Amino acid sequence: MTDTLPSTTAPAPHDSACGRRPLPADRATARPVEAPGGRRGAGIGEVRLTGGFWGRLQETNAHASLEHALQWVERLGWLANFDRVADGTTGADRPGWEFSDSEVYKLCEALAWEHGRRSDPAVLRILDELTARIARAQKPDGYLNTAFGHPGRPARYSDLESGHELYCTGHLLQAAVAVHRVFGEHPLVDVARRAADEVCTTFGPTARDGLCGHPEIEVGLAELGRALGEPRYSQQASTFLERRGHGRLRPLPLRSAAYFQDDVPVREADVWRGHAVRALYLSAAAVDVAVDTGDAELLDAVQRQWTRSVARRTYLTGGMGSRHQDEGFGEDWELPPDRAYCETCAGIASCMVSWRLYLATGEVRYVDLIERTWYNVLATSPRSDGRAFFYANPLQQRVAGTEVSGDVENPRAEGGVRAPWFDVSCCPTNVARTLASWHTGLASVERVTHSEDQDVVTLLHYAPAEVELRLSDDQLLCLRVETEYPFSGDVHVRVSAAPAAGVTLRMRVPNWAQGALLRRDGSTREVLTGWVDVHDVRAGDQLVLQLPVGPRLTHPDPRIDAVRGCVAVERGPVVLCLESVDLPAGWCLDDMTIDLTQPLGDDGRGAIVTLERRAGSATEAEGMPYRPLRYSAASVDRERVRLHPYHGWAERGPTTMKVFLPTAL
Amino acid sequence: MTDTLPSTTAPAPHDSACGRRPLPADRATARPVEAPGGRRGAGIGEVRLTGGFWGRLQETNAHASLEHALQWVERLGWLANFDRVADGTTGADRPGWEFSDSEVYKLCEALAWEHGRRSDPAVLRILDELTARIARAQKPDGYLNTAFGHPGRPARYSDLESGHELYCTGHLLQAAVAVHRVFGEHPLVDVARRAADEVCTTFGPTARDGLCGHPEIEVGLAELGRALGEPRYSQQASTFLERRGHGRLRPLPLRSAAYFQDDVPVREADVWRGHAVRALYLSAAAVDVAVDTGDAELLDAVQRQWTRSVARRTYLTGGMGSRHQDEGFGEDWELPPDRAYCETCAGIASCMVSWRLYLATGEVRYVDLIERTWYNVLATSPRSDGRAFFYANPLQQRVAGTEVSGDVENPRAEGGVRAPWFDVSCCPTNVARTLASWHTGLASVERVTHSEDQDVVTLLHYAPAEVELRLSDDQLLCLRVETEYPFSGDVHVRVSAAPAAGVTLRMRVPNWAQGALLRRDGSTREVLTGWVDVHDVRAGDQLVLQLPVGPRLTHPDPRIDAVRGCVAVERGPVVLCLESVDLPAGWCLDDMTIDLTQPLGDDGRGAIVTLERRAGSATEAEGMPYRPLRYSAASVDRERVRLHPYHGWAERGPTTMKVFLPTAL
């Protein structure tokens, strides 16, 4: 058994100009995506969350979820699969799906970012130990996968459609990117380099004309190419990308080519379709390749797909994937709340795409979608103790789940309760790596090229944090952000250090924040949604952004048939929901409507609405549920009822739940 | 290549008391289900359809679909799989799914009923030839399956969960039942007897404690036991039934025990769940076992499941199965029109259950559901030329399908066009066997035990037909039914022969037929929905039933969230739909509402409604489809538009389609 993580951590040392510097300066700017161009995200050591919504999620991730994931990959033998390869004891009885290696790699990536965030020797020790076990399984030519190419196992690359070998390698490369940026040279980087070399040799432009059924290798190669300055890797990402969409993959039984996006080349597609995580990892890679090669057509293609998919195939929560079947996107307007798949990993993958598009274009809409997805998909998945997760994130739960007793594995998608682990367990480690590096998306920096202009620092999201960003000429901008966002809309920004020439501080006014106010130097002005620029920011400045986070009604487009005649209630970036545990005794979600003539109350976290219980329909004698007369029922009861944040649903026990509330029967 | 069927058939000879008798008298009463008890369906030779809705379907089945299916099972090697077993040339390259044998058996069953219906030597020749090829593949101990137990193939019964071996055998037995009842002894009956014996030996009460992942063997054994008077077979059906529901089947990856109804014993379950065809074949067998053993608790259990499932998990069309995922039932009220699976086979299986429940109880509700399912699921599947089929039967098509060019295989479930054949091709042969024996469900006979009472003959459905039923003491009731039902509601019944003591003629007034009239001897009376009994019917009597088939609105229960704020239009037993090909130029199904203040027009087949095209929503700039204000749009156009029968949708080319029409945006 690998070492377990300590349950508490030492506080980070505080010794920089801004009061702290846990990582060497050249490592502080480490971040998952380092796209060429003038805009970058914050470094892993440039922002420190000081509590708040995301600070708590990040701490729970650090002190519960990482250890939890480590125990599970050990318990299920997914980690021991590496040992078995090294020891020559592989066989038909290998535990886990073909892609279980990737969970170990995502855990390594999470550990690397976690070390970058906190410089914790315990974390480092685990990472080193995992690396040693992984490295032993690597073949002399660099090939590394525990499911293929060993005694008792299928041959290497014998099942590109379903085998997930290159998918696993992609996650290894992403882990190595994190390790390289946080640690510099490290044995895991060597492992990844040799694995990437083997991939390039086997699948290079003039070698085998293959591609993986599950995109991921592309995004791994692209970023490793950037991290190591190795153009062959970037080129190989492009090669894989361009091979896709021409029907090279053999059709799987009952699955079309669209399932793995092999139906249409990525630069020709108009919309996301097929398996959601596949579609989104592929699009993230397409942005990487487009940016690396200056391919405007390819970048346009991804933006076009984003636009239509967000307009017609995306849930209010930001969730994507309308079908359990194939874990896939549906048609335009096919957005059933009860059968919403909205896989946690698809939410993460959507943010990966939007983040790359934001870095490439600077458009605010990408960050708006990230925020929506973070608060309503990413934050919904982990249980408050960090030891159970949602895999699917439906917007309606018809039947209350069954409490999971103990630390047991669950089917992946259904059940209405968070599960400790899954048979297909991609989500927990994906959440872990995303939370560990979450704060690198809090802000971005644009160094300007004309010396007379100011650097632009953009606050993309609002969380209590200490921020210390390196700008042009090694100058620092140090900020302290204080806020109880998203529950309060007041955001205080205090500038403790800034370049002498000042900087431009750009802040995002979310697209729902009509009537936001900005206060500076005692004067207050209304600011429009989108970007608001504050020029000439200098040390000692104080800014207050006031976002109107109070509850508001949201109406779905009538083309979304599945929620016709319903409204949702949101509060700031947080989607609210009605849970049966909050209903008066004897009420049921099935026979309840919302009275829109009554005001929305604000309880500081959710909302208070007036519901009417309707008699009649629910008490009909059984028979086919279709009648010659319109169902009608008088309101028999009326109550003020509390709506809670969707991200916390089912935290108080199994419950039925609705995001969209009918306005009439 | 097996002989093909002739494209036309000779007219049946006419030489009985009622004017015809193609089969020997002792074969004329052959029918799929021969439950003990006083009530039986019509025999294959006791009813002859004389045109009309079902007559045309039956003729198309006879002269196109049977040959079509034969060509496909030959073309794909599913038939040659039997030859390969006999020739010892099996291997890993065996074409077809594990269950492809069953398509050959269902075709045999269809051919047997078809021969029973028409006494066609060409049909008999094909059946004999298929039988010879099947018989050669049988092992000396009776085992018969082309996918297991041969060189290069997995071992016998090594995968009860997914292997479908006993499922295939069940279809063999059902085919043998048809053959035995139509022909008497025949080589296929010998094959089935030996196969059933092998099953009883291997899986008997004191032998291997196994069961099949897909129910079907149970219903096959039960009926073969009745046909051959072999109580061991009936006992084995009961044994398999009772083994189910205790978690004996190993869970399949990502599938729960409910998928194959191994979660709860059938006598304890309250509702259908999991894979729909599995659930329904199992329930059909449960009725068989309950009736054979006088098990009132078991019969009650199936009725309880029927009641709740029909009230909460059944589509307006009678279709069952709300999920593509697992081809399964959803939760209560989970009935999305666009993702309705409503597999054709599930519709057929539902009718199998309801037919058995009707025979057991005499309750009219079971026949009402059969009628709904026949007109809107069974009749919807085959294309008008009988050479393409729907597998899934959704109630909304969002994107028009792509015309199938040529006689090519298709994925099973989606596409919006009927396909010539499927990878999983259970539906075409299931339709074929059902249509070939369809008329045996037209009427039922109850012989009475007290000599002073009259036999009861029930007309369950209305179709132009010559009916010649054998009653007590070998007396005959001969009727001629003339009607253009379902398009006209007038049904004329002329009695040409009847027992001297008279009979009671019972007629079904469908549950939608408020205000039906019955005319006898010049006097007309209103009759209530349900059964209407006409006593003392004698030769020369004429009856006219007048059913109000005009278009009517149907409102869904508001608990069916997916169609909130919508209505459907029905006409008699026929569900109507709106197809985009009937919309005015420039209109789209997405931005259209129905104006309920305008009258429904009747065009004799469908309905004419007033639609309003709403501007606004569909022309919004792209962005997330959620807004702070309620979407509203003035009506910009208003047109009278024709709704057509759902069963004929997509017959005029690919189209988008809706059964449920919004009353407001």
Side-chain angles (χ1 to χ4, degrees):
Chain A
M1 179 70 189
T2 300
D3 260 0
T4 56
L5 291 162
S7 62
T8 59
T9 46
H14 290 242
D15 61 357
S16 80
C18 299
R20 61 195 179 76
R21 180 169 300 153
L23 274 190
D26 64 332
R27 301 280 160 219
T29 60
R31 54 194 184 272
V33 181
E34 223 173 66
R39 194 175 292 109
R40 70 166 178 90
I44 193 77
E46 290 184 314
V47 173
R48 189 171 71 87
L49 298 181
T50 55
F53 187 93
W54 292 101
R56 278 189 292 276
L57 279 166
Q58 211 170 44
E59 288 305 303
T60 305
N61 184 56
H63 300 128
S65 304
L66 293 177
E67 181 188 357
H68 177 82
L70 181 63
Q71 288 175 341
W72 270 100
V73 295
E74 189 76 274
R75 181 200 295 195
L76 295 176
W78 300 357
L79 199 40
N81 283 334
F82 291 92
D83 308 334
R84 292 181 67 181
V85 169
D87 300 341
T89 58
T90 56
D93 63 342
R94 173 187 176 279
W97 286 87
E98 303 88 336
F99 38 79
S100 68
D101 292 0
S102 68
E103 310 315 330
V104 177
Y105 301 144
K106 279 187 281 184
L107 178 57
C108 287
E109 182 182 344
L111 291 165
W113 294 127
E114 189 59 29
H115 183 69
R117 192 172 79 81
R118 291 191 294 124
S119 293
D120 183 340
V123 170
L124 178 58
R125 200 162 55 240
I126 312 273
L127 180 65
D128 288 346
E129 191 170 328
L130 292 180
T131 299
R133 293 173 73 178
I134 292 166
R136 286 182 65 222
Q138 190 165 37
K139 296 293 171 192
D141 69 350
Y143 179 84
L144 176 52
N145 187 287
T146 72
F148 289 85
H150 311 297
R153 305 297 315 166
R156 271 189 205 187
Y157 303 126
S158 58
D159 181 12
L160 291 180
E161 286 75 14
S162 309
H164 289 78
E165 283 162 285
L166 292 165
Y167 166 88
C168 288
T169 305
H171 277 298
L172 168 66
L173 307 194
Q174 285 192 306
V177 165
V179 167
H180 185 264
R181 290 184 178 151
V182 169
F183 299 90
E185 282 305 323
H186 182 278
L188 194 72
V189 178
D190 297 330
V191 170
R193 189 182 279 114
R194 295 171 55 219
D197 288 344
E198 190 275 327
V199 169
C200 292
T201 301
T202 306
F203 292 99
T206 60
R208 177 170 171 186
D209 184 20
L211 69 164
C212 184
H214 197 316
E216 163 65 23
I217 183 68
E218 299 84 354
V219 79
L221 280 166
E223 202 66 37
L224 191 68
R226 292 169 176 173
L228 303 183
E230 175 50 79
R232 270 198 314 143
Y233 300 163
S234 311
Q235 169 59 40
Q236 186 64 43
S238 172
T239 298
F240 280 134
L241 194 82
E242 300 293 349
R243 280 180 187 159
R244 202 172 208 92
H246 302 278
R248 279 182 173 81
L249 294 167
R250 285 170 310 184
L252 298 179
L254 305 177
R255 284 184 168 158
S256 71
Y259 171 73
F260 29 43
Q261 296 77 44
D262 198 28
D263 54 337
V264 179
V266 63
R267 64 176 66 245
E268 294 173 19
D270 290 322
V271 69
W272 290 326
R273 68 230 171 272
H275 188 267
V277 177
R278 282 173 169 79
L280 293 162
Y281 281 179
L282 180 68
S283 275
V287 179
D288 288 339
V289 169
V291 168
D292 283 346
T293 60
D295 186 337
E297 180 196 68
L298 183 57
L299 186 64
D300 277 354
V302 178
Q303 291 185 278
R304 180 173 72 233
Q305 293 161 39
W306 188 100
T307 299
R308 176 159 156 202
S309 304
V310 169
R312 301 179 174 210
R313 301 187 175 189
T314 301
Y315 284 93
L316 182 63
T317 54
M320 294 185 186
S322 305
R323 299 180 174 179
H324 284 239
Q325 175 79 3
D326 290 349
E327 310 191 303
F329 283 99
E331 307 281 5
D332 286 354
W333 314 118
E334 182 192 322
L335 293 163
D338 50 346
R339 294 295 284 170
Y341 199 67
C342 293
E343 183 179 338
T344 300
C345 287
I348 290 169
S350 158
C351 293
M352 287 168 57
V353 178
S354 290
W355 180 240
R356 284 159 175 76
L357 286 174
Y358 165 68
L359 291 177
T361 67
E363 290 183 32
V364 71
R365 59 181 180 151
Y366 300 120
V367 189
D368 282 333
L369 182 67
I370 289 172
E371 175 174 67
R372 183 171 286 276
T373 309
W374 273 352
Y375 279 101
N376 302 296
V377 179
L378 176 61
T380 306
S381 176
R383 197 170 58 196
S384 57
D385 68 355
R387 295 183 178 276
F389 301 83
F390 275 136
Y391 188 117
N393 295 282
L395 280 72
Q396 175 177 7
Q397 182 73 26
R398 292 183 176 277
V399 177
T402 305
E403 195 70 84
V404 175
S405 62
D407 203 19
V408 295
E409 202 183 47
N410 252 45
R412 64 180 163 186
E414 300 180 54
V417 291
R418 293 170 181 82
W421 203 251
F422 304 93
D423 180 29
V424 173
S425 213
C426 44
C427 297
T429 52
N430 221 349
V431 168
R433 67 174 182 152
T434 305
L435 287 177
S437 60
W438 182 88
H439 55 288
T440 63
L442 186 83
S444 69
V445 177
E446 288 164 71
R447 299 197 187 187
V448 291
T449 45
H450 300 293
S451 57
E452 66 269 30
D453 293 338
Q454 295 179 328
D455 289 340
V456 178
V457 167
T458 306
L459 282 182
L460 300 166
H461 303 279
Y462 304 107
E466 292 172 354
V467 179
E468 172 190 320
L469 297 162
R470 325 207 128 246
L471 309 183
S472 307
D473 306 322
D474 260 347
Q475 298 189 88
L476 290 179
L477 175 71
C478 299
L479 308 174
R480 187 171 180 94
V481 180
E482 290 179 345
T483 181
E484 292 174 37
Y485 190 86
F487 303 115
S488 156
D490 290 356
V491 181
H492 297 261
V493 180
R494 292 187 176 77
V495 182
S496 58
V503 297
T504 294
L505 187 63
R506 179 170 292 169
M507 291 193 281
R508 184 176 63 92
V509 181
N511 55 359
W512 47 263
Q514 300 292 334
L517 301 173
L518 179 66
R519 198 165 76 229
R520 186 190 190 186
D521 300 333
S523 81
T524 300
R525 62 180 172 113
E526 185 167 336
V527 288
L528 299 178
T529 60
W531 299 130
V532 55
D533 283 1
V534 182
H535 298 287
D536 302 318
V537 168
R538 290 188 164 74
D541 275 356
Q542 297 199 19
L543 300 166
V544 182
L545 182 64
Q546 292 183 295
L547 300 171
V549 294
R552 65 187 190 279
L553 293 177
T554 298
H555 300 265
D557 188 297
R559 290 170 291 185
I560 307 175
D561 299 287
V563 291
R564 186 182 310 286
C566 295
V567 296
V569 183
E570 299 182 273
R571 191 179 182 286
V574 175
V575 173
L576 305 181
C577 69
L578 174 61
E579 290 182 88
S580 52
V581 293
D582 293 314
L583 286 175
W587 287 43
C588 163
L589 281 184
D590 284 336
D591 56 7
M592 173 281 312
T593 61
I594 182 170
D595 181 354
L596 296 187
T597 67
Q598 301 300 307
L600 291 177
D602 185 357
D603 70 355
R605 298 183 73 84
I608 301 161
V609 299
T610 300
L611 298 183
E612 293 183 305
R613 182 162 73 98
R614 302 275 177 179
S617 69
T619 58
E620 293 275 356
E622 298 275 46
M624 284 202 96
Y626 311 101
R627 302 274 189 281
L629 296 177
R630 194 168 179 288
Y631 287 70
S632 66
S635 165
V636 294
D637 285 303
R638 164 187 292 252
E639 293 278 356
R640 295 288 279 176
V641 174
R642 206 172 287 268
L643 308 184
H644 282 277
Y646 170 77
H647 58 70
W649 90 270
E651 283 279 6
R652 295 172 292 160
T655 184
T656 60
M657 178 275 293
K658 273 184 177 176
V659 166
F660 283 99
L661 308 177
T663 60
L665 287 188
Chain B
M1 178 72 188
T2 299
D3 260 0
T4 55
L5 289 164
S7 62
T8 59
T9 47
H14 289 242
D15 61 356
S16 78
C18 299
R20 63 195 176 76
R21 179 170 300 150
L23 274 189
D26 65 329
R27 301 280 159 219
T29 60
R31 55 197 184 270
V33 181
E34 222 173 67
R39 192 175 293 109
R40 70 167 178 90
I44 192 79
E46 290 185 312
V47 172
R48 189 171 70 87
L49 298 180
T50 54
F53 186 92
W54 292 102
R56 279 189 291 276
L57 280 165
Q58 211 171 43
E59 288 305 303
T60 304
N61 184 56
H63 300 129
S65 303
L66 294 177
E67 181 189 356
H68 177 81
L70 181 62
Q71 288 175 342
W72 270 100
V73 295
E74 189 76 273
R75 180 200 295 195
L76 294 176
W78 299 358
L79 199 40
N81 283 335
F82 291 92
D83 309 334
R84 292 179 66 180
V85 169
D87 300 342
T89 57
T90 57
D93 63 343
R94 174 188 175 280
W97 286 87
E98 303 89 337
F99 39 80
S100 68
D101 293 359
S102 69
E103 309 316 331
V104 177
Y105 301 144
K106 278 187 282 183
L107 178 57
C108 288
E109 183 183 343
L111 291 166
W113 294 126
E114 189 60 28
H115 184 69
R117 191 172 80 80
R118 292 192 293 124
S119 293
D120 184 339
V123 170
L124 177 58
R125 202 164 52 238
I126 311 272
L127 180 65
D128 287 345
E129 192 172 325
L130 291 180
T131 298
R133 293 172 73 178
I134 292 165
R136 286 181 65 221
Q138 191 165 33
K139 296 293 172 191
D141 68 350
Y143 179 84
L144 175 53
N145 187 287
T146 71
F148 290 84
H150 311 296
R153 306 296 315 166
R156 271 189 204 187
Y157 303 125
S158 57
D159 181 10
L160 291 181
E161 287 74 14
S162 309
H164 289 78
E165 283 161 283
L166 292 165
Y167 166 87
C168 289
T169 305
H171 277 299
L172 169 65
L173 307 193
Q174 285 192 307
V177 165
V179 167
H180 185 264
R181 288 183 180 153
V182 169
F183 299 91
E185 281 305 324
H186 181 278
L188 194 72
V189 178
D190 297 330
V191 169
R193 189 182 278 114
R194 294 170 56 217
D197 288 343
E198 189 276 327
V199 169
C200 292
T201 302
T202 307
F203 293 100
T206 59
R208 179 171 170 187
D209 184 20
L211 70 163
C212 184
H214 197 316
E216 164 64 24
I217 184 68
E218 300 84 355
V219 78
L221 281 166
E223 202 66 37
L224 190 69
R226 292 168 175 174
L228 304 183
E230 176 49 80
R232 271 199 314 145
Y233 300 164
S234 311
Q235 170 58 41
Q236 186 63 43
S238 172
T239 298
F240 279 135
L241 194 82
E242 300 294 349
R243 280 180 187 158
R244 200 171 210 95
H246 303 277
R248 279 182 173 82
L249 294 168
R250 285 171 308 183
L252 298 179
L254 305 177
R255 285 185 168 156
S256 72
Y259 171 72
F260 29 42
Q261 295 78 46
D262 198 29
D263 53 338
V264 179
V266 62
R267 64 177 64 247
E268 294 173 20
D270 290 322
V271 70
W272 289 325
R273 67 227 172 272
H275 187 268
V277 177
R278 282 174 168 78
L280 293 162
Y281 282 178
L282 180 67
S283 275
V287 180
D288 289 339
V289 169
V291 168
D292 284 345
T293 60
D295 187 337
E297 180 196 68
L298 184 57
L299 186 64
D300 278 355
V302 179
Q303 291 185 279
R304 179 174 72 235
Q305 293 161 38
W306 189 99
T307 300
R308 177 160 155 200
S309 304
V310 169
R312 301 178 174 210
R313 300 187 177 190
T314 301
Y315 284 93
L316 183 62
T317 54
M320 294 185 186
S322 305
R323 299 180 175 180
H324 284 239
Q325 175 79 1
D326 290 350
E327 310 190 303
F329 283 98
E331 306 282 4
D332 287 352
W333 315 116
E334 182 191 321
L335 293 162
D338 50 347
R339 295 295 285 170
Y341 200 66
C342 293
E343 183 180 338
T344 300
C345 287
I348 290 169
S350 158
C351 293
M352 287 168 56
V353 178
S354 289
W355 179 241
R356 284 159 174 78
L357 286 174
Y358 165 68
L359 291 177
T361 67
E363 289 182 32
V364 70
R365 59 180 180 151
Y366 300 120
V367 189
D368 282 334
L369 182 66
I370 289 173
E371 176 174 67
R372 183 171 285 277
T373 310
W374 273 352
Y375 279 102
N376 302 296
V377 179
L378 176 61
T380 306
S381 177
R383 197 170 60 197
S384 56
D385 68 356
R387 294 182 179 277
F389 301 84
F390 275 136
Y391 188 117
N393 295 282
L395 280 73
Q396 175 178 7
Q397 183 71 27
R398 292 183 177 277
V399 178
T402 304
E403 195 71 82
V404 175
S405 63
D407 201 21
V408 296
E409 203 182 47
N410 251 47
R412 64 180 163 185
E414 300 180 54
V417 291
R418 293 170 181 84
W421 203 252
F422 304 93
D423 181 28
V424 173
S425 211
C426 44
C427 297
T429 53
N430 222 350
V431 169
R433 67 174 184 150
T434 305
L435 286 178
S437 60
W438 182 89
H439 55 289
T440 63
L442 186 83
S444 69
V445 176
E446 288 165 69
R447 299 196 186 187
V448 291
T449 46
H450 300 294
S451 57
E452 67 269 29
D453 293 338
Q454 296 177 326
D455 288 340
V456 177
V457 168
T458 306
L459 283 183
L460 299 166
H461 302 279
Y462 303 108
E466 291 172 354
V467 179
E468 171 190 321
L469 297 161
R470 322 208 130 245
L471 308 183
S472 307
D473 307 322
D474 259 349
Q475 299 189 86
L476 290 179
L477 175 71
C478 298
L479 308 173
R480 187 171 179 94
V481 181
E482 289 179 347
T483 183
E484 291 174 39
Y485 191 85
F487 302 114
S488 157
D490 290 355
V491 181
H492 296 262
V493 179
R494 292 187 177 77
V495 183
S496 57
V503 297
T504 293
L505 187 64
R506 180 171 291 168
M507 292 192 283
R508 184 176 63 91
V509 182
N511 56 358
W512 47 263
Q514 300 291 335
L517 301 174
L518 179 66
R519 198 164 78 228
R520 185 191 190 188
D521 300 334
S523 79
T524 300
R525 65 182 171 110
E526 185 166 336
V527 288
L528 299 178
T529 60
W531 299 129
V532 54
D533 282 1
V534 182
H535 298 290
D536 302 320
V537 167
R538 290 188 164 76
D541 276 356
Q542 296 198 20
L543 300 166
V544 182
L545 183 64
Q546 292 183 295
L547 301 171
V549 294
R552 65 187 191 278
L553 294 176
T554 298
H555 299 265
D557 189 298
R559 290 170 290 185
I560 307 174
D561 299 287
V563 291
R564 187 182 310 286
C566 296
V567 296
V569 184
E570 298 182 274
R571 191 177 182 288
V574 175
V575 173
L576 306 181
C577 69
L578 175 61
E579 291 182 86
S580 53
V581 291
D582 292 314
L583 287 176
W587 287 42
C588 163
L589 281 183
D590 284 337
D591 56 7
M592 175 280 313
T593 61
I594 182 170
D595 181 353
L596 296 186
T597 67
Q598 300 301 307
L600 292 177
D602 186 357
D603 70 355
R605 297 182 74 84
I608 302 162
V609 299
T610 299
L611 298 183
E612 293 183 305
R613 183 161 72 99
R614 303 273 177 181
S617 68
T619 57
E620 294 275 356
E622 300 274 48
M624 283 202 97
Y626 311 100
R627 302 272 190 283
L629 296 177
R630 193 169 180 288
Y631 288 70
S632 66
S635 164
V636 293
D637 285 304
R638 165 188 290 252
E639 293 278 355
R640 295 288 279 177
V641 173
R642 206 171 287 268
L643 308 184
H644 282 277
Y646 170 76
H647 59 69
W649 90 271
E651 284 278 5
R652 295 172 292 160
T655 183
T656 59
M657 180 274 296
K658 271 186 178 175
V659 166
F660 284 99
L661 308 177
T663 60
L665 287 187

